[in-house]
Amino acid sequence: MPNQRPINSLINPLLTLISVPRRESITGGGKNAVNIKRGRLQEQRRLLAAMMSDVSANAATKSILGHAAIAIEMWSDSYSPSYAPKDLFGAQVNARLIAPFKNGYLAEIKIEQIPAIINLIKTTDRVPCLVDISRVKKIEILTDTHVLNGIHANVLMERATKITVAGMEFAEYLIWLVPFSRHALRIGTLSSLATTIGIKGIIATPTDEAEVTDELDERSLIALPSHGGHLLATNPAGRLLAPIYSIALETTDQLLALAASGKVIRIDPVTTIAPADASIEGITIENMHDLTHSPIVGVIDGGRTARSYDYAEAWRGTNLVDTSVAHTSHGNGVSSLVVHGHELNRNLNLPKLFCRIGTAQVLASPRFPHKSPHPKAVIKYLDEVIAQNPETKIWNISANTNDECDDFAVSPLGHAIGALARKYNILPIISAGNKLETESLRIAPPSDCEAGLIVAGRKHDEHGHVGAPCPKSRLGLGPDEMLKPDLSWFSTVKVLGNQGVNGTSFSTPLVSSLAAHTWKKLKDPSPDLVKAVLLSNCDLKKYDSRLGWGSPVETENPWECEEGTVTLAWRSELKTGLTYYWDKIAVPTTLLDNGALHGHISLTAILDPTYLNFVGVGNYCMSRLEVSLQDSGMNEDDDASNVLGSMQKRLTEYNARKIDHKWSPIRRHANNFKGKALRASTLRLRARIYTRDLWQLGISAHDLSNFDVGFVLKFMSSNRDPNTYRSFVQAMRQQVESAIVDQTIEVENQ
């Protein structure tokens, strides 16, 4: 048979599961009397009523057209989305929740209705309202304490990019307006900020001679790309989900007044992205290779001037920055690692992979910081260049801002790159960012991108194998407990000209080339499936905030199964309201001894969260995935049946977020087994989608589209028994096929 390779040949291909999952319906519940925290109910009636009186005393100066925004903080045992206080702040008192906000919510109230809210708190006997009262910890008028996060205004003023117009210097910021439900309130907010505080709008980028105007309108609105049609720009009521504006301030007093206005929920200084500086000399290349059939990596960097790499360039985009000020030395170095990093670093244990490059010249040299493109220009440029090169599925971004990621909110650039990734079905590979060895800085945007594969740095030992974390690499986690960085690889390497460099900028292209080849090899690739295959191939069994899941080194080529292993990789579309079961997944006989499990199993699943919250601060992903691998011989609802995975159901929402990273799109479970008894010789995989905060969109879970999930399930025998792959394929003959293009599997009859 053409293109067919028997399984006893050199390569055992990655497998894909083709069986259809069994589905079971789920019935949901609501608030009931058992959810009331009776031990604090009466005290909270008193405290919340007093807090609303304080709100009344301060609301007039913070209001727009008689409406004000209040910040609601929940008790740590009440973070679950089912406890959102929609009943206490509902239609009966002309109020509504409008967004998640840090450890709680934002609500919009009418000032004239405050007495009615106070009376409701004191007198209601409705169970849903009593649940809310017992679970709301604090209610305050929105002010600077909620917005500045303890950062002094002078610090924010120093960090902001400065622009000069007509001899006057302005500091530039991005501001998030309170996402009021009515258009008239949002327009009123803009007018109020311009007239009472004196902030101005920026209607052009600094590189285009920015114009500062007294008008604050849609011309200074940050236009973010849509999330593949699923990032809803508006809900049915027409509420803008990302009212972010580019503004100019002259003084610290203006910044303080803006933060205290009660009309904004977030203020970010505008900072530019830049690579780690490196002096790279020489363009000597030992060999040129025929790269006609090699995959392409889009290199978003300082451009390429090394002519000896002309042979490797598949396309070149229009330059966003002029070559005279571009950071071409960095772009040359990153490009060389993408093309043939293994040849430049023969001392390191790297797969022998060659790639072509696409050149997107975006980054200015650190010597010309005033020539760095504005974030709005970067977003617009990336949207255009990605659309122009649809064959390029992997995009390398070895650049970061100097900021740390926020505890709750994703940066506009990280969000925009994620939206572009989902829109164009691409995988961005992004550096985690660099720091001094003595610092403990968290990852730098855009490494807070949900859809990106974030790469940290790692040392190598004397044998060229991965070692300890690189002390210059930034640390996780990402916003909202996201598991970022995802993985790590060598960060001290040589680039063209035999120049030694160090930084996450240079570990990132090594991952990009591997990701590009993985995409090219898979029959049914997706960004999340490629990411899951790479994570499944990493060497750590538990997540590390410095290394992610480690480095993708367990198998040189992750689309193959090395001796003693077998791996399944597949995609599926899941719908809310259903539990999915893939039944009768065989356990390789080499992992069983008298019905007991021995060896290693890992399960990696990555969800495209599809619906994202970019209106509030926190609760970024509005969906999550729960997966487990279960003993088929036990009841599927029995926690004891779980061989791998599932959530710890007794944890509070707060602890589930901290310990299980409950709302992270990545679920990865791995364990070494030394005699776990099984009641059956087969396993089943269970998966379910959960959602939250859909009230923002004015829809229910039944209105949602299906969610795409990438699954990777890996078995490894303790002694790397070569019969592992064969025994699994023989048992699963009707349920699996090769996951690799132009290759089938063949099983010898025994």
Side-chain angles (χ1 to χ4, degrees):
M1 182 181 296
N3 297 321
Q4 181 164 314
R5 187 190 300 269
I7 66 168
N8 59 359
S9 63
L10 183 62
I11 295 175
N12 287 329
L14 203 69
L15 303 174
T16 189
L17 188 63
I18 59 175
S19 58
V20 177
R22 170 171 55 91
R23 306 189 300 178
E24 291 189 2
S25 298
I26 302 164
T27 56
K31 296 174 185 173
N32 52 59
V34 73
N35 302 132
I36 301 172
K37 302 294 286 188
R38 297 196 179 274
R40 62 182 181 228
L41 176 61
Q42 293 308 315
E43 178 67 2
Q44 286 308 106
R45 280 189 188 268
R46 184 186 67 80
L47 289 175
L48 298 185
M51 291 174 186
M52 284 305 304
S53 294
D54 290 341
V55 167
S56 180
N58 295 284
T61 59
K62 315 288 185 184
S63 65
I64 292 292
L65 302 179
H67 291 73
I70 57 172
I72 302 167
E73 181 182 347
M74 307 299 291
W75 289 96
S76 61
D77 59 10
S78 304
Y79 288 172
S80 173
S82 59
Y83 296 137
K86 295 181 292 182
D87 297 281
L88 185 59
F89 297 97
Q92 61 180 319
V93 289
N94 274 321
R96 63 182 296 170
L97 299 187
I98 52 176
F101 190 69
K102 300 184 177 178
N103 293 322
Y105 303 90
L106 284 176
E108 168 189 316
I109 61 172
K110 292 185 70 173
I111 295 177
E112 65 183 30
Q113 287 291 318
I114 291 178
I117 297 173
I118 294 173
N119 183 63
L120 181 66
I121 292 171
K122 289 180 176 180
T123 66
T124 185
D125 59 359
R126 292 183 59 240
V127 167
C129 288
L130 295 179
V131 173
D132 291 351
I133 293 168
S134 71
R135 293 185 175 276
V136 171
K137 182 178 182 180
K138 188 184 296 184
I139 303 169
E140 296 177 308
I141 195 77
L142 183 68
T143 188
D144 56 334
T145 56
H146 304 101
V147 177
L148 295 181
N149 296 321
I151 301 176
H152 197 279
N154 287 336
V155 174
L156 292 179
M157 204 71 179
E158 291 172 2
R159 285 171 51 197
T161 297
K162 305 302 190 296
I163 58 175
T164 301
V165 178
M168 299 177 63
E169 185 177 79
F170 296 89
E172 184 175 2
Y173 297 87
L174 299 182
I175 61 169
W176 274 245
L177 301 184
V178 171
F180 287 115
S181 61
R182 289 169 48 203
H183 180 71
L185 296 178
R186 299 192 297 275
I187 295 300
T189 298
L190 288 174
S191 300
S192 172
L193 293 176
T195 58
T196 62
I197 299 174
I199 67 171
K200 303 176 185 298
I202 295 178
I203 61 173
T205 68
T207 53
D208 293 331
E209 299 182 355
E211 178 184 348
V212 175
T213 172
D214 291 332
E215 297 293 328
L216 188 60
D217 55 27
E218 67 277 0
R219 293 178 299 169
S220 54
L221 179 69
I222 299 293
L224 294 173
S226 64
H227 182 269
H230 294 305
L231 176 63
L232 303 183
T234 60
N235 68 4
R239 183 164 65 96
L240 189 66
L241 286 190
I244 309 170
Y245 291 82
S246 179
I247 62 141
L249 298 178
E250 297 177 75
T251 67
T252 303
D253 287 342
Q254 287 178 319
L255 178 59
L256 286 169
L258 176 63
S261 67
K263 301 176 179 67
V264 298
I265 59 174
R266 183 174 165 188
I267 304 173
D268 284 348
V270 169
T271 56
T272 55
I273 61 171
D277 197 14
S279 175
I280 301 172
E281 299 175 355
I283 55 175
T284 303
I285 297 176
E286 295 181 8
N287 301 298
M288 292 188 184
H289 301 271
D290 181 5
L291 305 184
T292 304
H293 301 293
S294 296
I296 304 169
V297 173
V299 181
I300 301 168
D301 212 280
R304 181 189 63 83
T305 55
R307 296 298 304 275
S308 50
Y309 281 100
D310 286 353
Y311 79 100
E313 189 170 78
W315 55 261
R316 177 177 287 264
T318 303
N319 294 341
L320 184 60
V321 296
D322 189 78
T323 302
S324 63
V325 298
H327 202 1
T328 55
S329 61
H330 193 274
N332 285 332
V334 169
S335 296
S336 70
L337 291 172
V338 170
V339 175
H340 63 152
H342 65 284
E343 287 192 328
L344 298 170
N345 296 274
R346 298 180 189 275
N347 62 314
L348 300 180
N349 185 31
L350 288 169
K352 298 173 177 59
L353 303 173
F354 296 93
C355 289
R356 291 179 288 164
I357 52 175
T359 301
Q361 189 165 297
V362 174
L363 304 180
S365 167
R367 294 181 296 134
F368 305 102
H370 60 291
K371 294 296 185 179
S372 293
H374 190 277
K376 287 195 290 187
V378 172
I379 294 169
K380 183 175 183 293
Y381 175 83
L382 293 182
D383 200 347
E384 294 172 351
V385 75
I386 293 170
Q388 291 164 1
N389 298 282
E391 76 284 7
T392 303
K393 293 300 184 180
I394 305 299
W395 292 76
N396 188 97
I397 305 175
S398 291
N400 304 88
T401 68
N402 286 325
D403 306 309
E404 287 186 271
C405 70
D406 189 81
D407 287 341
F408 297 96
V410 173
S411 67
L413 189 57
H415 177 80
I417 291 173
L420 291 171
R422 300 301 186 185
K423 177 180 180 181
Y424 292 112
N425 196 39
I426 63 167
L427 178 56
I429 315 289
I430 307 172
S431 55
N434 302 328
K435 63 178 182 64
L436 299 177
E437 292 190 19
T438 55
E439 295 177 318
S440 57
L441 298 176
R442 290 172 64 202
I443 60 171
S447 62
D448 54 357
C449 171
E450 166 273 319
L453 184 62
I454 312 306
V455 183
R458 194 167 182 178
K459 292 182 177 181
H460 60 267
D461 64 18
E462 65 273 19
H463 303 293
H465 298 288
V466 289
C470 175
K472 295 182 180 180
S473 178
R474 293 218 184 187
L475 314 173
L477 298 167
D480 238 15
E481 300 294 324
M482 276 198 291
L483 296 173
K484 303 292 181 180
D486 295 282
L487 48 72
S488 50
W489 221 349
F490 305 118
S491 52
T492 298
V493 297
K494 290 182 179 180
V495 296
L496 77 167
N498 204 35
Q499 179 72 32
V501 293
N502 172 258
T504 58
S505 282
F506 308 108
S507 51
T508 303
L510 301 178
V511 176
S512 293
S513 60
L514 185 62
H517 278 270
T518 303
W519 187 295
K520 182 178 175 67
K521 288 289 185 180
L522 295 179
K523 285 181 181 177
D524 185 27
S526 73
D528 291 322
L529 186 61
V530 170
K531 190 190 304 185
V533 168
L534 295 187
L535 294 187
S536 181
N537 200 42
C538 285
D539 61 317
L540 299 186
K541 305 304 178 283
K542 293 187 179 298
Y543 185 82
D544 186 290
S545 61
R546 301 164 300 173
L547 296 173
W549 294 104
S551 305
V553 295
E554 285 200 344
T555 301
E556 183 176 23
N557 297 324
W559 52 89
E560 301 170 3
C561 299
E562 286 198 341
E563 190 169 274
T565 72
V566 61
T567 302
L568 283 167
W570 75 99
R571 294 170 58 189
S572 189
E573 289 195 345
L574 309 187
K575 190 173 181 60
T576 58
L578 296 170
T579 301
Y580 293 77
Y581 297 94
W582 283 265
D583 294 314
K584 297 181 180 179
I585 298 175
V587 179
T589 56
T590 58
L591 274 75
L592 291 174
D593 184 7
N594 293 322
L597 185 60
H598 295 261
H600 172 79
I601 306 177
S602 68
L603 170 61
T604 306
I606 301 182
L607 168 72
D608 176 350
T610 307
Y611 300 90
L612 300 175
N613 163 45
F614 207 59
V615 60
V617 179
N619 288 17
Y620 184 63
C621 294
M622 300 173 72
S623 58
R624 70 175 177 89
L625 173 69
E626 186 175 301
V627 293
S628 59
L629 192 65
Q630 298 183 325
D631 183 345
S632 295
M634 298 182 68
N635 187 295
E636 55 205 22
D637 294 323
D638 186 349
D639 284 349
S641 70
N642 294 331
V643 176
L644 280 179
S646 192
M647 311 294 289
Q648 300 180 53
K649 293 182 170 56
R650 292 179 178 83
L651 293 178
T652 65
E653 179 78 9
Y654 174 83
N655 286 328
R657 295 182 186 186
K658 293 292 184 181
I659 297 172
D660 281 337
H661 307 283
K662 180 176 179 178
W663 292 92
S664 176
I666 297 174
R667 310 305 309 163
R668 178 161 162 76
H669 309 285
N671 200 7
N672 291 317
F673 297 95
K674 298 180 180 180
K676 178 179 175 59
L678 296 178
R679 295 187 184 179
S681 60
T682 63
L683 303 171
R684 63 172 169 261
L685 191 148
R686 176 179 182 173
R688 179 181 170 185
I689 300 289
Y690 295 81
T691 58
R692 63 179 173 182
D693 303 335
L694 296 180
W695 43 265
Q696 290 185 95
L697 307 176
I699 59 178
S700 70
H702 298 292
D703 301 317
L704 300 178
S705 58
N706 291 347
F707 293 82
D708 189 81
V709 182
F711 296 93
V712 178
L713 177 60
K714 183 174 185 177
F715 297 93
M716 181 188 300
S717 64
S718 300
N719 58 354
R720 292 298 187 103
D721 190 319
N723 196 43
T724 301
Y725 191 91
R726 181 187 305 277
S727 68
F728 182 81
V729 173
Q730 286 177 333
M732 297 284 289
R733 182 191 298 267
Q734 303 302 318
Q735 295 177 255
V736 300
E737 64 183 24
S738 171
I740 300 177
V741 294
D742 298 328
Q743 189 167 329
T744 59
I745 56 174
E746 182 178 285
V747 183
E748 298 176 357
N749 294 322
Q750 294 185 350

